[in-house]
Amino acid sequence: MAKETNGFARLNHVGEEEVQADIWRCISGFTEMAVAKCAIELGISDFLETHQEPVPLNQLSSALGCSASSLHRILRFLINRGIFKLVPIENGEMGYVQTPVSRLLKRDGENSMAALVLLESSPVMLAPWQYLSARVLSNENTGAFSAAHGKDVWEYAKTNPEHSKLINDALACHARVTMHAIINNCAEIFKGIESLVDVGGGNGTTLGMLVKAFPWINGINFDLPHVVSVAPPCHGVVHVEGDMFHSVPKAQAVFLMSVLHDWGDEECIQILKKCIEASPKDTGKVIIVEAVLDEKIDKGKRLKDVGIMLDMIMMAHTTNGKERTAKEWAHILSAAGFSRHSILQIPAIEPVILAYP
């Protein structure tokens, strides 16, 4: 009996260790973001990408101009997360190589997600997290970002060009990753569309990719004046400034990607009504690319976790924004005046929602 009791105690002890490990992961959750940011700033992925063979620590640290011992510790952490890999080379040495994940940390490239890491790890975007509990407790319509900076994220960006560029670069980065999935899996939804307005289109990356893939489309990139004023020229795309709460340029179809999750239900309904006004009543459609939080949707646990984490980011960085379930999307689409909609799953975090007036 004593042995069984001791055995039970040992099992209990292991259970406590696992529980504590879970909390330690929570305590140090910021570490992954901070170390990934460090890797981007050092240019580790960029350097390894230019080398076909594994790169030893001394060569890598010398090329990057940093401490070999510190770099070893940074890479040990990232290897433990599966971001880089260490493989044997000649004379018993070990060398570092890229993985599919580490390639996403290149500062440039079509599939790079580095700009998203740099935005979310910036001091401006980290500060609102300190006000999250105050936001939850407050009865006033004040977001955590406003509590931290005295204005919402869009007003802040308007008066801080450097932060505005961080946002635009991150949105363009997200667009490049997601649009490949849309173009390769949903080409049929763009057939017959001669004009398309991208509401909140940032620097025009999204429309540029669509026009290149579907050259019959004439693109209208629509965003706030301080955004489109620095948008680069793009073949087949016209940049138009304005406010989506007041009006949306006329087009055969309207495109919105990662826009509506920044706003509350009433604001989304207002935006969507303007989109309906902008498109033909009988043949128009609105193409929405947003996360859908729904257990019934067949996505892996990791992708579901991303959607729920994005909802927390919306809580920290917007006043009323949130990610929505399929039922919540159905509510705002119906309230805005759409007669029907469908959700198309693609190999990306967000599905495509097709809404028809």
Side-chain angles (χ1 to χ4, degrees), residues 24 34 60 63 75 89 139 154 170 197 221-222 228 311 336 350 352 357:
W24 274 110
L60 184 58
L75 282 163
I89 52 178
N139 291 321
W154 313 118
V197 56
N221 182 51
F222 182 63
V228 298
D311 186 50
E350 304 99 333
V352 175

Side-chain angles (χ1 to χ4, degrees), residues 13-221:
H13 181 62
V14 171
E16 287 177 8
E17 285 180 345
E18 290 175 351
V19 169
Q20 289 175 10
D22 285 340
I23 294 300
W24 274 110
R25 279 191 286 272
C26 182
I27 293 167
S28 59
F30 71 93
T31 312
E32 290 188 6
M33 178 192 287
V35 178
K37 179 182 183 180
C38 176
I40 293 167
E41 292 175 338
L42 291 175
I44 298 173
S45 182
D46 301 273
F47 183 82
L48 293 180
E49 188 68 12
T50 64
H51 288 68
Q52 298 296 323
E53 300 297 325
V55 180
L57 177 63
N58 288 337
Q59 180 185 347
L60 184 58
S61 63
S62 176
L64 300 179
C66 61
S67 159
S69 61
S70 296
L71 182 60
H72 162 72
R73 292 164 66 188
I74 291 291
L75 282 163
R76 178 174 60 188
F77 178 90
L78 294 170
I79 288 167
N80 190 51
R81 292 297 188 275
I83 296 177
F84 289 96
K85 193 174 180 181
L86 193 60
V87 298
I89 52 178
E90 294 178 356
N91 303 321
E93 275 195 289
M94 302 291 284
Y96 298 100
V97 296
Q98 295 271 60
T99 68
V101 181
S102 70
R103 286 191 171 92
L104 300 179
L105 298 182
K106 291 189 300 179
R107 282 179 283 200
D108 296 306
E110 285 193 358
N111 295 321
S112 170
M113 296 182 71
L116 283 164
V117 177
L118 295 177
L119 172 66
E120 294 301 332
S121 61
S122 67
V124 171
M125 299 307 260
L126 288 175
W129 291 101
Q130 302 297 326
Y131 295 85
L132 195 59
S133 57
R135 182 210 189 280
V136 175
L137 290 167
S138 176
N139 291 321
E140 298 179 5
N141 193 27
T142 302
F145 192 97
S146 297
H149 299 293
K151 57 186 74 172
D152 69 25
V153 65
W154 313 118
E155 286 298 316
Y156 186 91
K158 187 188 298 185
T159 53
N160 291 269
E162 288 185 6
H163 190 68
S164 180
K165 184 177 186 307
L166 271 181
I167 292 174
N168 290 333
D169 288 349
L171 291 176
C173 160
H174 172 252
R176 284 190 293 270
V177 173
T178 306
M179 289 311 299
H180 281 301
I182 293 174
I183 290 167
N184 292 333
N185 294 273
C186 300
E188 68 280 358
I189 70 176
F190 298 99
K191 288 180 179 178
I193 296 178
E194 295 181 2
S195 60
L196 178 69
V197 56
D198 184 3
V199 178
N203 66 8
T205 297
T206 297
L207 266 184
M209 293 180 70
L210 282 173
V211 169
K212 184 177 179 180
F214 312 116
W216 58 84
I217 294 177
N218 293 301
I220 304 168
N221 182 51

